Amino acid sequence: MSDGGGTVAGESPDKAEQRESAVGGDGKDPRLSVLQGRVDEPTAVFRTLAPRTAPEDQPEADASEAEPSDDAEPSGVEDAAVDETVADEDAAEAQDAEADAEGGEPREEAPEGEAEPETDDRPEADGKAGAKAEGESWFAARKPAAPKAEEKPEPEPEPEVRPEARPEAKAEKPVDQPTAVFKAFTPPAAKEEPKADEPAAAAKPVDQPTAVFKAFTPPAAKEEPKADKPAAKPAPQPVDQPTTALKLPPSTFRPLKGDITQEQPKPEPKAQPAAPAPKPAAAATPVPPSPSSSAPSASLSEPERTRQQPLPPRPPLEILAELTNTPPPPETPLRTTFRRLKIWTPLVILLLVVFAVVQIVRPLPDPKLVLSAAPTFTFEGGALQMPWPGEGQGAAEVEGVGSLGTYGPQKPAPIASVAKTMTAYVILRDHPIKGKASGPEIEVDKTAGEQAKAKDESTAPIKKGQTYSQKELLQLLMIPSGNNVARLLARWDAGSEAAFVDKMNAAAKELGMTGSTYTDPSGLQATTVSTPLDQLKLAKAVMQYDVFRAIVDMPNVTIDGIPTRIENNNTILLEPGVTGIKTGSSTPAGGNLLWAANTVVDGQKRRILGIVMGAKDAPQLWQKLDLAIANSLKLIQKAQADVTSAAVVKKGQVVGYVDDGLGGRTPVVSTKDLKAVGWPGLKVDLRLDGDGKKLPHSAKAGDVVGQVSIGTGTGAVSAPVALQKDLVEPGFGEKLTRLG
């Protein structure tokens, strides 16, 4: 042991000089004066270590940073740091001495001002040797000695280095980097002074973990140059090196079994290899630890990633039992069934109660009548044989009962003056005449008066300026078939003949006359065409007007202003039961007759409608019309003879029941005999309905609740139906079990 800046036993002069320059002339390390009172505090663990920056990039340390703070480490910590630095240097010399003793090559001392080479396999950093020593990464194991002021180190060859080992700039002011966090700190052993009779090499310093420092640059100590020694260049300040990070002890927290937050067991980390102990040789100092031992653990260089695997969900009762430290009872089929019953029974009962309340308060469905008797009835006898003509086309039916049949092609054909039936229908529809009224007065215009003198068509003898009632003009339209009156009524109703024709076609469409086309109000033009079935539809519609039925049933008429009596062209109107309707004849159309007749069945009149079109088997036009009239009379007489009645439903017969919508059925019976109108071979349909009235939910026996009927329109017959027994409202059971 030497005094104040002397050489330590076993230490080379170069090393002694380096220590003197580092420690100072007074033998005291300037770092110790700054680090007094600092406390070893753990710093934050950085996920990625940032490289040190060049001194010129670092801000000047404030004076406040150099002053010790309240949380500064104790002085013993700084002593340990200084001792560790000296011990590292001594260990290097001891390693050289050991190599000499074993016959190996001694470790070459690095030239002054150059750093000793790294002991690990990593390539050295680029740059000059001095810059390499000053800007060395804080993973280095020891600090190089500062070059002397009067000597310049020779540059070393620049080896290939990894990017992370390359310094970014000259490191004249190295900055401490954050080290790993220690869990506990063991104070270093007291440094023993070597005895006088023992060599200095006998001291065995122990490498102790240094304190954790934040970035700190100690102030340079000012020293007065000695008189007998030239002033040396200030040595670079030593930089704290990182020590091996001590792992935290495992946590004593143990989660409950089955907790979904339970972590999976982690593999035990491999123990860090301990620094090799110095061999008992003649070396003065122990071998310094390798740079790899002082590097931080690899696990601290990046964030620890969880390897937790989610556990499958467990039954709630089992988790609850573990949380309450009460083990669940053993599972048995009986216990499982009982537990399910306890859970589901209240819920099922609640649902049943709600369902029952909803079923009770729901409104009842409306009752309806359902026919239980045979839906059809067929009259006895063979099929009806009608005397259909051998030419042209036609059809006949009993109004409200059914069709008597058709003959011919049933295609659109000219209808001549039969078209005036549509003219009368439009006038009465838009200007109806009720009771004994005659309608408004209409003045004859000049056109109608001039057309009355036409010789090639049928006209009415009217003159300009005369005034006739609507009813009188309708008589002149239908009985003598005046074309000039048809045009006069068209102009009076629509303003023009063309506009009135449009109304005629619109009315035909409303009646479903799909095969009819009207081009003039009189039917003189051959382009006015229709079919037998379309004309029967028009006949049923127009015969609903009382004034029209009275007009077409007149064989002749006398009108004021006309001196002579006007005869009807329909000569069969004098035959029993014949009541109309309209004749029509032209060269293109031949002879045509739209007719109506009545027959009496069970004391009631039944209307029969028919038409004969295209009678041409005659030399003269009037003869063609007479042929059509004669053929029509044959059809009328046959229909009147064969149309009859038959009892379809008898009094007291059950014809159906009242369905309350919940399965209840109350029978209904007919209150009288029901006879249908028909002819041999005819099939009629029965209907059971409420006659437009809403059925009650409860009623007494004998109450009329509807009717049973046959046929439609004027040919329909019906009989009332009544309850056979009391109609009772559905009970609680029916309301509760209904699903519809």
Side-chain angles (χ1 to χ4, degrees):
M1 180 174 184
S2 63
D3 52 358
T7 304
V8 181
E11 187 177 40
S12 64
D14 294 338
K15 294 293 180 179
E17 184 178 351
Q18 292 176 9
R19 282 190 58 190
E20 182 179 359
S21 61
V23 174
D26 53 357
K28 294 183 180 180
D29 194 335
R31 294 174 295 178
L32 300 180
S33 62
V34 179
L35 301 177
Q36 292 297 329
R38 295 179 63 87
V39 180
D40 185 12
E41 296 291 337
T43 61
V45 177
F46 293 86
R47 187 170 296 176
T48 303
L49 300 178
R52 294 185 301 168
T53 59
E56 55 270 13
D57 297 334
Q58 293 288 343
E60 292 294 330
D62 298 335
S64 61
E65 295 180 0
E67 296 177 1
S69 59
D70 296 339
D71 57 350
E73 290 83 350
S75 61
V77 179
E78 286 83 67
D79 294 341
V82 176
D83 293 343
E84 182 184 4
T85 305
V86 176
D88 290 345
E89 296 173 355
D90 296 341
E93 294 181 5
Q95 185 177 5
D96 294 341
E98 182 181 354
D100 294 338
E102 293 176 358
E105 296 181 1
R107 185 173 64 92
E108 296 181 0
E109 286 288 330
E112 292 182 1
E114 294 182 5
E116 293 182 1
E118 298 288 329
T119 58
D120 60 355
D121 295 337
R122 294 190 303 171
E124 296 179 355
D126 296 341
K128 294 181 180 181
K132 179 178 181 300
E134 294 174 2
E136 187 67 33
S137 171
W138 59 278
F139 286 99
R142 53 193 296 275
K143 298 178 177 59
K148 292 182 179 181
E150 57 273 3
E151 294 184 7
K152 293 184 179 180
E154 295 182 2
E156 293 182 357
E158 299 179 1
E160 193 78 6
V161 298
R162 292 181 295 183
E164 60 271 11
R166 185 184 302 275
E168 298 296 336
K170 294 180 179 181
E172 294 180 0
K173 290 183 179 182
V175 180
D176 287 336
Q177 300 297 331
T179 63
V181 178
F182 298 102
K183 179 170 188 305
F185 170 75
T186 305
K191 185 176 181 181
E192 297 180 358
E193 296 293 336
K195 297 179 180 181
D197 54 350
E198 291 182 5
K204 295 182 180 181
V206 180
D207 186 13
Q208 298 293 340
T210 63
V212 178
F213 300 103
K214 297 182 180 178
F216 169 75
T217 303
K222 295 181 180 180
E223 60 181 11
E224 297 294 334
K226 295 182 180 181
D228 57 348
K229 190 175 182 179
K233 184 178 181 180
Q237 298 299 325
V239 180
D240 290 331
Q241 299 299 329
T243 60
T244 304
L246 298 179
K247 294 186 175 296
L248 297 174
S251 174
T252 58
F253 171 75
R254 292 294 181 269
L256 295 175
K257 180 181 179 183
D259 194 344
I260 58 174
T261 61
Q262 180 180 356
E263 296 184 357
Q264 299 295 326
K266 298 180 180 178
E268 292 294 335
K270 295 182 180 180
Q272 294 291 339
K279 296 181 180 180
T285 56
V287 178
S290 64
S292 61
S293 63
S294 62
S297 176
S299 62
L300 298 178
S301 62
E302 62 180 9
E304 180 182 0
R305 300 185 181 277
T306 179
R307 295 176 175 82
Q308 173 182 340
Q309 297 296 331
L311 296 177
R314 304 183 63 185
L317 292 179
E318 183 175 345
I319 297 177
L320 180 61
E322 292 177 355
L323 292 175
T324 57
N325 293 328
T326 303
E331 283 291 335
T332 61
L334 181 60
R335 185 180 298 277
T336 301
T337 304
F338 182 71
R339 184 173 65 250
R340 291 178 179 175
L341 287 176
K342 289 195 300 183
I343 295 174
W344 289 103
T345 299
L347 181 60
V348 172
I349 293 175
L350 178 61
L351 292 177
L352 290 177
V353 171
V354 173
F355 176 77
V357 172
V358 170
Q359 291 290 80
I360 295 301
V361 300
R362 280 177 60 187
L364 294 173
D366 295 333
K368 59 182 179 180
L369 286 169
V370 179
L371 181 68
S372 62
T376 60
F377 176 81
T378 303
F379 285 82
E380 297 178 354
L384 178 64
Q385 299 295 328
M386 295 290 291
W388 302 114
E391 62 173 345
Q393 57 184 349
E397 69 175 37
V398 177
E399 185 177 358
V401 178
S403 174
L404 293 168
T406 62
Y407 74 98
Q410 303 296 313
K411 293 181 179 180
I415 56 177
S417 292
V418 176
K420 294 180 175 67
T421 307
M422 177 61 77
T423 302
Y425 172 75
V426 174
I427 293 297
L428 289 173
R429 185 195 65 180
D430 297 341
H431 310 278
I433 299 174
K434 297 181 180 180
K436 296 181 179 181
S438 298
E441 296 292 326
I442 302 172
E443 183 179 356
V444 179
D445 59 10
K446 180 180 179 180
T447 303
E450 292 177 353
Q451 291 176 354
K453 302 175 183 179
K455 302 297 183 180
D456 56 347
E457 57 178 314
S458 60
T459 61
I462 58 176
K463 297 178 181 179
K464 176 185 176 182
Q466 292 179 336
T467 301
Y468 296 96
S469 65
Q470 177 184 346
K471 183 178 180 180
E472 290 174 337
L473 290 179
L474 286 174
Q475 291 172 346
L476 294 174
L477 173 70
M478 299 302 294
I479 295 174
S481 189
N483 291 345
N484 58 340
V485 175
R487 301 184 186 106
L488 175 61
L489 289 172
R491 291 190 297 271
W492 170 75
D493 176 78
S496 66
E497 296 181 26
F500 188 79
V501 169
D502 292 340
K503 294 179 68 176
M504 295 173 69
N505 288 313
K509 185 177 181 181
E510 291 176 358
L511 296 174
M513 301 168 61
T514 57
S516 301
T517 303
Y518 294 91
T519 58
D520 68 307
S522 64
L524 182 64
Q525 298 178 8
T527 53
T528 298
V529 297
S530 185
T531 63
L533 294 178
D534 282 356
Q535 290 303 306
L536 292 182
K537 294 177 182 178
L538 175 60
K540 288 186 289 185
V542 74
M543 289 293 283
Q544 304 303 315
Y545 295 100
D546 297 338
V547 64
F548 182 83
R549 291 197 306 270
I551 291 173
V552 297
D553 195 25
M554 299 174 64
N556 51 62
V557 63
T558 300
I559 299 175
D560 294 341
I562 299 176
T564 60
R565 188 175 67 179
I566 300 174
E567 298 292 338
N568 197 325
N569 292 333
N570 187 4
T571 58
I572 64 172
L573 287 174
L574 299 177
E575 296 293 335
V578 178
T579 60
I581 297 178
K582 185 68 184 76
T583 60
S585 61
S586 66
T587 302
N592 300 274
L593 177 62
L594 178 62
W595 51 265
N598 294 327
T599 183
V600 178
V601 179
D602 297 333
Q604 295 182 352
K605 289 184 179 181
R606 298 292 178 176
R607 184 180 297 129
I608 305 172
L609 302 173
I611 186 173
V612 173
M613 297 173 55
K616 298 180 179 180
D617 192 12
Q620 299 294 327
L621 184 57
W622 61 270
Q623 292 176 342
K624 294 178 181 179
L625 179 57
D626 289 344
L627 181 59
I629 293 173
N631 292 335
S632 297
L633 182 58
K634 294 177 182 178
L635 296 174
I636 292 172
Q637 291 174 346
K638 180 62 175 177
Q640 290 175 338
D642 290 348
V643 173
T644 183
S645 65
V648 179
V649 177
K650 296 182 178 181
K651 183 179 179 180
Q653 178 182 344
V654 176
V655 294
Y657 56 87
V658 177
D659 186 0
D660 60 7
L662 299 181
R665 295 183 177 184
T666 304
V668 294
V669 296
S670 177
T671 58
K672 66 177 184 178
D673 293 340
L674 177 63
K675 292 184 177 181
V677 177
W679 48 89
L682 177 66
K683 290 184 178 180
V684 294
D685 297 329
L686 277 73
R687 299 185 308 276
L688 182 62
D689 52 53
D691 194 18
K693 298 178 181 179
K694 187 176 180 180
L695 296 175
H697 291 287
S698 60
K700 298 294 184 179
D703 292 347
V704 176
V705 294
Q707 65 179 4
V708 56
S709 58
I710 300 174
T712 59
T714 58
V717 292
S718 61
V721 294
L723 294 171
Q724 190 181 42
K725 62 180 182 179
D726 293 344
L727 177 62
V728 181
E729 184 176 327
F732 178 80
E734 290 79 4
K735 293 179 180 179
L736 187 62
T737 57
R738 58 175 167 168
L739 299 177

